[in-house]
Amino acid sequence: MTEAVSRVDPGLTEPLLAKRTSRHWLIAAFLTTTIVALPVLSVIFLAFFPEENIWPHLLDTTLPRYLSTTLQLMLGVGALTLVIGLSSAWAVTMCEFPGRRFFEWAMLLPFAVPAYVIAYVYTSLLDYAGPVQRNLRDWFGWENASDYWFPEIRSLEGAILMIGLVLYPYVYLLARAAFLEQSPSLFAVSRSLGHSALSTFFRVVLPIARPAVAVGLSLVLMETLNDFGTVDFFAVQTLTAGLFDTWMNLGNLGGAAQIATTMLIFVVILVTLERYSRRRQQQFAARDNRDPIRRFTMSAPRQYACLAVCAIPVLFGFLIPGFTLGLYAWEYFGESWNTDFIQNTLNSLLLSGTAALTTLLIGITLAYSRRLHDTKGMQVLMRLSSLGYAMPGAVLAVGVIVPLAGFDNWLDSLTRDLFGFSTGLLLSGSTFALVFAYTVRFLAVSAGSVESALQKITPSMDMASRSLGHTPGKTLVRVHLPMLRGTLMTAALVVFVDCMKELPATLILRPFNFETLATYVYQFASDERLYHSALPALIIVLAGIIPIILMSRSISKTRTMG
Amino acid sequence: MHMKLAAAAAMTLTALPLAASAEGDVNIYSYRQAYLLEPLLNAFEQETGIDANVVFAKKGLAERLEREGRNSPADVVMTVDISRINELVERDLVQGVENDVLNENIPENLRHPEGKWFALTTRGRLIFTSRERVEEGEITTYEQLADDKWNDRICTRSGKHPYNIALFSSMLAHHGEADTKAWLEGLKDNLARKPQGGDRDQIKAIAEGVCDISIGNSYYYGNMLQDENQRAIAEQVRLVFPNAEGRGTHVNISGIALTKSAPNRDNAIKLMEFLSSAEAQRIYAEANTEYPANPDVQPSGLVAEWGEINPDQLSLQEIANNRNAVVKLVDRVDYDGE
């Protein structure tokens, strides 16, 4: 705990916030959590009452391998994203080097590339028949694969690299927002007390940014846990791959649900760790936007080091795959550009936009309810509501179908019996099911970031507003939301881009004649027709870029640049 | 409160109402790629005026069908692999069709006794060998894949992929559990690398010199020969119809089934009749270089060039019944492990 952070005695804040608060917030939080938790509970129910219990067989044969592979993958991706995300966030926030303004937002670019797309691209570049090995063979006169050694892209290490390259922006984004929000004077004080820049970074800056970085890292790890496209393509046997295998190849949904429940335990551990890292860490930044950040001026070699730190991830995570896709898309443009493609693009944008908005609203509701009633029960609710993030998309889809189709069929029976007409599949047969699934899946993203941002606003704000006669709702709208604008944009954007990329659940839940770009890409890519998938994949990437730029500008605006 | 907003937002998003045609619709849940079906469905629409709508997915359609129950909009399910079709029967999601046209067009061994599914195409699971490094006739049966001679020289996709499961299931039917396990262990020992990728990737691996022998479905090879980027790769391998001299080559099917809930039952049956007709069978088999299920239709020129296929007459039902035992066997020998 640093001395530099003003602390408010929690004993003092509790009654002031909790008392005289309407129950609406509590009820709203409870309801949303229940609805969001339904799919998760459906899956857990399936796990405990399977038709044929395959658990002993799994335990005996494949499960240990799934577990150890998953752990290795998460460790690898976690380490990689932390290194890339933190170093680049620090460089663009605090160091002056050529291209800094550009990298501020360019660091986010890989975020727009779905992991399965980057995996397809690098496989086509790096496998035996790809240009890299072909040229090597030409230069050295090798005949075939037995003449030389070349790293195997389709491996655990390859998967770590692919997934890490597209997920580090989570860490970067949240770390950078935290670095920007910290008071520059802290740094100056630490330096004046004789600490080196490096030691200040680890002793002052990082501890303050830790809650945000923890959120970023836990998002990365959950995404890693959920990845199917990449590990499937690389034959890396993680829990998710095993889950699909158990469901699709053993035809045992119960067993799949049991693996999903195992994964949930992982997530509970992740979430708990993340909470633990925030424990006793209520700091309230004295935000002073008129105090510009004073960036370090550095020697040329150091500037180049900063440049490299930022350029390498962008090059491999975005430029190379983007350029390759662009090339393929150009070559096959005539075949790819058609009305289907345009319709699917619109579908994707609308659907993701709606889901992002819904998720944000519910996220705010939950996070704010918790601020008002920070009780044990509320914490449990928060945790429950974020479980959807851990559900692999395909399993979540099943979890969504169970309650929705159940409700539809119940309503249908009712109207048939009472009024003699059929309502059919009101919810499960429409895009509602998709929006619902996305909301369940990504609520953890928005609720998590809103919550960590709210924690930084001192309760004195609430007290002031409430003592002036504002209701909690009015306080939220007038005081908190304006202060949180950057965070809200970030959260909405992250969800938007995630929805654009979401694949397994979309495949299962989409209505007739309805494709999103992701499902469209997958159809071709899974059939090894990467060339045809290039244009829609490129659009997913481009669509992801626009909000990235917008959002990045809004973060920068939170502080006038000196 | 916010859920209301979300619901309202979602409602505005629901897909545009399908343009209703005079002859109505038929709704298809398909595990087969939409673009493979497109030419067929276009021909069907032209001929009948019925609009065909498709949801394509690789996974989970059976679950979706089951949950939707009697309100499911799906009329037919189109799928590959006998076990997946059988799963629909076992879960009681499909209904029998007693129809003279279908019974005429599809031979008895390629349809369910009560008409709960009909095969539309068949494909052989073949052995591919390097033209350079393996002599013609050096390997002629599935059983020989386990010979020590091929140590570190074989590539396959995941042992748990339905196509391999079906092949292993046929081995189980012919040889019993103990021998099949020993054979699987022998095959695993002969693998040059961890099972990965699809059937085409194994053919590529032979071209690259990673291995000398692979197992794959006939149409993948056909598709590679027709793709100018992959022809040179495919030409480096020779195809073998395993056990052609003995019990015959293992074949699998792609098929169609009528759902229990089918709201457009008549249109669905029209579609099934159409797909079994000579005209559609020609398009279908041609599009994916498969063998037509309708015996009156000859395989396309390219497929015919490979020579006659002598299909193993083992009942497809028996293959489907062995599935669960085989998947567990694959786990026990750790086929997909390092």
Side-chain angles (χ1 to χ4, degrees):
Chain A
M1 213 47 244
T2 62
E3 307 306 304
V5 178
S6 63
R7 295 222 29 186
V8 176
D9 180 4
L12 189 72
T13 68
E14 280 243 326
L16 275 167
L17 286 184
K19 263 186 201 158
R20 297 173 48 208
T21 295
S22 61
R23 295 264 155 229
H24 297 168
W25 287 97
L26 211 55
I27 293 163
F30 183 76
L31 279 180
T32 45
T33 305
T34 312
I35 290 169
V36 164
L38 263 180
V40 182
L41 296 175
S42 306
V43 171
I44 294 177
F45 179 83
L46 285 173
F48 280 100
F49 303 98
E51 284 165 23
E52 171 211 4
N53 192 5
I54 198 165
W55 189 247
H57 167 78
L58 290 175
L59 220 48
D60 261 358
T61 53
T62 46
L63 198 66
R65 186 172 60 236
Y66 295 153
L67 274 171
S68 74
T69 311
T70 304
L71 279 172
Q72 290 175 60
L73 185 73
M74 284 168 74
L75 271 175
V77 173
L80 187 64
T81 50
L82 268 185
V83 170
I84 300 179
L86 283 175
S87 60
S88 55
W90 185 246
V92 301
T93 313
M94 297 301 290
C95 309
E96 199 51 78
F97 63 95
R100 188 191 60 79
R101 296 295 299 267
F102 165 76
F103 281 113
E104 255 178 23
W105 63 270
M107 290 313 301
L108 294 171
L109 288 172
F111 197 29
V113 186
Y116 51 92
V117 169
I118 205 177
Y120 295 144
V121 169
Y122 275 109
T123 305
S124 83
L125 291 176
L126 293 176
D127 72 358
Y128 180 90
V132 175
Q133 290 199 51
R134 219 175 29 229
N135 284 321
L136 284 174
R137 282 196 298 276
D138 285 352
W139 288 333
F140 295 100
W142 293 320
E143 288 294 324
N144 64 33
S146 50
D147 292 350
Y148 63 102
W149 178 88
F150 193 83
E152 175 61 70
I153 176 84
R154 295 175 109 157
S155 60
L156 177 65
E157 294 77 14
I160 288 174
L161 212 56
M162 295 299 105
I163 298 173
L165 273 176
V166 294
L167 290 185
Y168 82 80
Y170 279 119
V171 176
Y172 167 82
L173 200 60
L174 288 150
R176 177 155 181 265
F179 293 158
L180 278 173
E181 278 175 3
Q182 71 194 7
S183 169
S185 42
L186 277 183
F187 200 87
V189 168
S190 166
R191 294 304 308 272
S192 72
L193 292 172
H195 279 297
S196 71
L198 203 63
S199 132
T200 301
F201 177 78
F202 283 107
R203 298 179 69 146
V204 178
V205 178
L206 213 48
I208 292 179
R210 202 167 64 182
V213 173
V215 174
L217 188 63
S218 57
L219 290 179
V220 165
L221 293 179
M222 288 194 215
E223 283 283 351
T224 306
L225 195 59
N226 173 67
D227 174 86
F228 174 69
T230 314
V231 294
D232 176 51
F233 198 58
F234 284 1
V236 175
Q237 298 189 301
T238 59
L239 282 166
T240 308
L243 182 154
F244 269 80
D245 178 78
T246 306
W247 182 15
M248 301 304 151
N249 296 337
L250 287 157
N252 193 316
L253 182 59
Q258 287 170 339
I259 295 183
T261 312
T262 313
M263 292 168 73
L264 279 182
I265 295 169
F266 264 75
V267 175
V268 171
I269 293 171
L270 278 179
V271 174
T272 314
L273 277 179
E274 184 240 318
R275 303 268 152 199
Y276 181 80
S277 75
R278 290 204 227 159
R279 205 176 41 119
R280 299 191 0 240
Q281 275 233 359
Q282 288 195 301
Q283 334 109 0
F284 310 108
R287 297 271 314 264
D288 181 359
N289 287 345
R290 280 166 320 229
D291 189 2
I293 286 185
R294 281 175 295 277
R295 286 194 203 86
F296 314 127
T297 41
M298 294 180 300
S299 60
R302 285 192 172 192
Q303 290 192 18
Y304 285 120
C306 282
L307 187 66
V309 157
C310 296
I312 289 170
V314 178
L315 179 70
F316 287 97
F318 181 79
L319 291 177
I320 293 177
F323 182 74
T324 311
L325 284 177
L327 217 61
Y328 293 167
W330 178 255
E331 249 177 277
Y332 283 75
F333 188 79
E335 286 175 64
S336 309
W337 181 269
N338 52 40
T339 48
D340 275 359
F341 163 75
I342 294 164
Q343 179 64 51
N344 299 340
T345 308
L346 289 175
N347 287 350
S348 270
L349 291 173
L350 263 172
L351 200 61
S352 306
T354 311
L357 201 66
T358 313
T359 312
L360 189 66
L361 288 175
I362 297 178
I364 293 171
T365 309
L366 281 175
Y368 194 59
S369 309
R370 182 169 177 195
R371 186 177 177 88
L372 295 173
H373 303 266
D374 199 0
T375 57
K376 272 271 176 282
M378 199 58 224
Q379 285 174 22
V380 171
L381 282 190
M382 275 300 277
R383 242 166 270 191
L384 264 179
S385 69
S386 63
L387 281 183
Y389 201 54
M391 286 300 209
V395 179
L396 178 69
V398 176
V400 166
I401 283 184
V402 174
L404 286 192
F407 172 82
D408 284 345
N409 283 317
W410 169 80
L411 185 71
D412 179 73
S413 297
L414 201 70
T415 56
R416 279 190 199 203
D417 293 346
L418 292 179
F419 314 110
F421 75 90
S422 159
T423 51
L425 298 171
L426 199 64
L427 302 179
S428 54
S430 69
T431 40
F432 175 85
L434 283 174
V435 174
F436 183 51
Y438 291 167
T439 306
V440 172
R441 175 106 174 70
F442 299 121
L443 185 58
V445 179
S446 69
S449 28
V450 173
E451 200 189 6
S452 85
L454 267 178
Q455 281 185 348
K456 289 210 204 64
I457 298 179
T458 170
S460 346
M461 290 275 190
D462 304 51
M463 294 174 204
S465 166
R466 303 281 294 280
S467 67
L468 292 168
H470 278 323
T471 57
K474 219 164 182 177
T475 306
L476 174 69
V477 173
R478 292 218 163 161
V479 179
H480 295 112
L481 294 187
M483 290 176 76
L484 295 177
R485 216 182 50 212
T487 309
L488 297 182
M489 280 284 284
T490 307
L493 169 93
V494 171
V495 175
F496 178 88
V497 176
D498 269 340
C499 293
M500 289 283 289
K501 295 189 286 196
E502 207 292 328
L503 185 63
T506 315
L507 277 175
I508 295 171
L509 292 172
R510 71 198 197 285
F512 278 102
N513 299 350
F514 186 90
E515 301 275 353
T516 65
L517 284 173
T519 61
Y520 197 58
V521 167
Y522 176 75
Q523 270 195 48
F524 291 121
S526 65
D527 221 38
E528 299 173 41
R529 292 152 59 109
L530 183 66
Y531 295 104
H532 295 86
S533 69
L535 182 66
L538 202 60
I539 300 298
I540 294 182
V541 173
L542 291 176
I545 291 175
I546 299 159
I548 283 175
I549 296 172
L550 283 178
M551 191 232 12
S552 187
R553 286 171 58 179
S554 97
I555 292 187
S556 302
K557 273 198 205 125
T558 59
R559 177 174 288 292
T560 35
M561 292 298 160
Chain B
M1 161 189 105
H2 289 320
M3 281 314 283
K4 265 192 207 149
L5 273 177
M11 289 303 166
T12 58
L13 250 186
T14 33
L16 295 169
L18 304 168
S21 70
E23 301 303 327
D25 289 305
V26 60
N27 296 327
I28 304 163
Y29 277 3
S30 170
Y31 283 99
R32 304 217 71 182
Q33 305 279 21
Y35 65 84
L36 285 175
L37 297 176
E38 215 159 291
L40 283 165
L41 298 180
N42 288 343
F44 176 69
E45 285 175 0
Q46 297 254 296
E47 193 169 303
T48 60
I50 298 168
D51 281 332
N53 310 306
V54 187
V55 171
F56 155 77
K58 280 239 159 166
K59 301 181 163 78
L61 288 176
E63 267 73 28
R64 179 167 167 177
L65 201 58
E66 188 167 5
R67 302 297 167 191
E68 286 170 340
R70 66 175 177 187
N71 283 312
S72 175
D75 297 302
V76 293
V77 181
M78 296 183 74
T79 173
V80 290
D81 181 56
I82 179 60
S83 296
R84 287 185 184 168
I85 297 175
N86 190 58
E87 188 187 5
L88 299 174
V89 177
E90 281 183 354
R91 290 164 85 167
D92 201 24
L93 298 170
V94 291
Q95 54 176 308
V97 177
E98 196 47 59
N99 174 290
D100 291 343
V101 177
L102 282 164
N103 291 352
E104 181 80 18
N105 286 339
I106 308 289
E108 211 168 336
N109 66 326
L110 292 180
R111 61 175 197 254
H112 186 266
E114 292 157 35
K116 289 189 173 176
W117 52 259
F118 295 85
L120 294 173
T121 58
T122 66
R123 61 284 289 280
R125 192 122 184 98
L126 312 181
I127 292 175
F128 296 97
T129 62
S130 161
R131 284 183 186 273
E132 272 179 27
R133 300 180 297 273
V134 180
E135 295 292 317
E136 192 155 10
E138 217 177 335
I139 182 163
T140 58
T141 66
Y142 296 115
E143 285 75 8
Q144 289 166 343
L145 288 167
D147 289 354
D148 286 346
K149 175 181 183 178
W150 307 117
N151 196 357
D152 277 348
R153 293 175 67 185
I154 300 180
C155 288
T156 75
R157 78 192 310 168
S158 161
K160 289 215 196 148
H161 191 279
Y163 299 154
N164 276 339
I165 293 291
L167 169 63
F168 301 162
S169 297
S170 79
M171 293 297 283
L172 185 67
H174 290 296
H175 297 290
E177 178 136 1
D179 284 358
T180 305
K181 183 163 184 269
W183 176 77
L184 264 180
E185 281 166 344
L187 174 55
K188 178 186 156 57
D189 284 345
N190 287 344
L191 293 179
R193 62 175 186 187
K194 187 175 76 166
Q196 57 187 268
D199 282 352
R200 294 180 204 223
D201 292 311
Q202 316 313 318
I203 293 177
K204 282 184 198 159
I206 293 179
E208 293 163 14
V210 175
C211 42
D212 300 338
I213 291 182
S214 78
I215 305 175
N217 281 356
S218 46
Y219 58 84
Y220 286 111
Y221 176 66
N223 290 344
M224 287 175 84
L225 286 172
Q226 288 179 334
D227 178 339
E228 59 188 68
N229 294 326
Q230 298 188 318
R231 188 176 309 127
I233 297 169
E235 280 171 347
Q236 301 205 29
V237 301
R238 190 182 284 121
L239 87 166
V240 177
F241 289 108
N243 305 69
E245 303 301 314
R247 64 171 185 265
T249 301
H250 163 73
V251 292
N252 206 327
I253 58 170
S254 77
I256 189 164
L258 183 68
T259 67
K260 249 195 143 133
S261 61
N264 309 297
R265 190 167 181 274
D266 294 351
N267 286 352
I269 290 175
K270 275 187 196 148
L271 176 69
M272 292 166 85
E273 287 176 354
F274 171 81
L275 289 175
S276 71
S277 71
E279 175 202 358
Q281 285 279 301
R282 228 184 315 275
I283 305 177
Y284 204 4
E286 187 105 20
N288 202 29
T289 60
E290 290 182 76
Y291 296 94
N294 184 332
D296 299 340
V297 180
Q298 291 307 308
S300 71
L302 174 68
V303 178
E305 278 170 34
W306 303 338
E308 280 288 308
I309 185 166
N310 164 26
D312 184 344
Q313 292 302 316
L314 182 71
S315 105
L316 290 164
Q317 193 57 51
E318 191 169 353
I319 288 177
N321 294 347
N322 282 343
R323 185 180 83 158
N324 277 355
V326 166
V327 173
K328 288 182 181 168
L329 208 54
V330 171
D331 273 343
R332 281 216 295 280
V333 306
D334 193 18
Y335 189 89
D336 286 350
E338 295 294 334

